[in-house]
């Protein structure tokens, strides 16, 4: 099973609070909602199609809680709630024990081993959305097969970035790229090996 990370990011790599400010989720961060001004229907459809594609979702604990509250109701949500609620969801957590959201399973303990077991399935896609900290951890543990970054033409200047200041290096191969009318760019990379240096 292919593990894909799909996140919305700014030009400076911020992957936090794209939809708005939330003091509980992002204490002290006041530059949330940076994606909303673009209102690109084609980009929104692209993201929805990405959410409809996988066989299962992999989420961090904070993202799971937010999505369960927001998307779990499936009321007039443009299709996102149906896309995620109808599929199996694996949530990485050492505190959550009995999730109420349908089709949800907790992964704890040896998380890397459990994810490798999921990836050992003969086919399908496991999609990570909205979970920047989990995405960084998955990259550091070399569990990622593909990166799908929807990059917005804005520099936020602060916030949680997808890629750490220091970490492993990865060679990437462009699989697909789409440019939308408002300047949003969707880039899909296959993760493979190490980069070449001079």
């Amino acid at each position: 099973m292919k593990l894909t990370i799909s996140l919305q990011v700014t030009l400076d790599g911020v992957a936090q609070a794209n939809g708005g400010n939330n003091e509980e989720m992002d204490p002290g961060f006041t530059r949330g909602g940076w994606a909303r001004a673009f209102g690109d229907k084609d980009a929104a459809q692209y993201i929805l199609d990405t959410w409809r594609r996988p066989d299962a979702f992999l989420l961090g604990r904070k993202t799971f809680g937010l999505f369960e509250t927001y998307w779990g109701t499936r009321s007039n949500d443009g299709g996102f709630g149906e896309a995620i609620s109808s599929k199996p969801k694996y949530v990485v957590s050492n505190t959550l024990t009995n999730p109420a959201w349908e089709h949800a399973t907790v992964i704890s303990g040896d998380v890397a081993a459990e994810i490798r077991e999921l990836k050992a399935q003969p086919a399908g896609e496991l999609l990570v959305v909205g979970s920047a900290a989990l995405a960084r951890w998955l990259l550091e543990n070399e569990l990622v097969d593909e990166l799908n970054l929807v990059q917005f033409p804005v520099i936020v200047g602060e916030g949680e970035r997808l890629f750490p200041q220091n970490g492993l290096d990865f060679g990437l191969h462009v699989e697909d790229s789409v440019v939308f009318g408002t300047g949003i760019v969707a880039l899909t990379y296959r993760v493979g090996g190490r980069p070449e240096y001079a």
Side-chain angles (χ1 to χ4, degrees), residues 61 64 68 91-100 104-108:
R61 175 65 184 97
F64 179 85
E68 180 181 25
V91 54
V92 176
S93 176
N94 289 319
T95 58
L96 184 65
T97 55
N98 191 22
T105 303
V106 175
I107 294 178
S108 61

Side-chain angles (χ1 to χ4, degrees), residues 9 13 15 136 139 147 149 160-166 170 172:
V9 297
R136 284 191 299 274
L139 280 165
L147 286 171
L149 304 180
E160 183 179 0
R161 285 165 171 77
L162 173 56
F163 302 112
Q165 180 79 18
N166 298 295
F170 294 94
L172 303 175

Side-chain angles (χ1 to χ4, degrees), residues 78-102:
F80 286 92
E82 175 62 30
I84 194 167
S85 291
S86 63
K87 304 268 179 82
K89 290 164 288 299
Y90 297 94
V91 54
V92 176
S93 176
N94 289 319
T95 58
L96 184 65
T97 55
N98 191 22
W101 199 2
E102 60 187 334

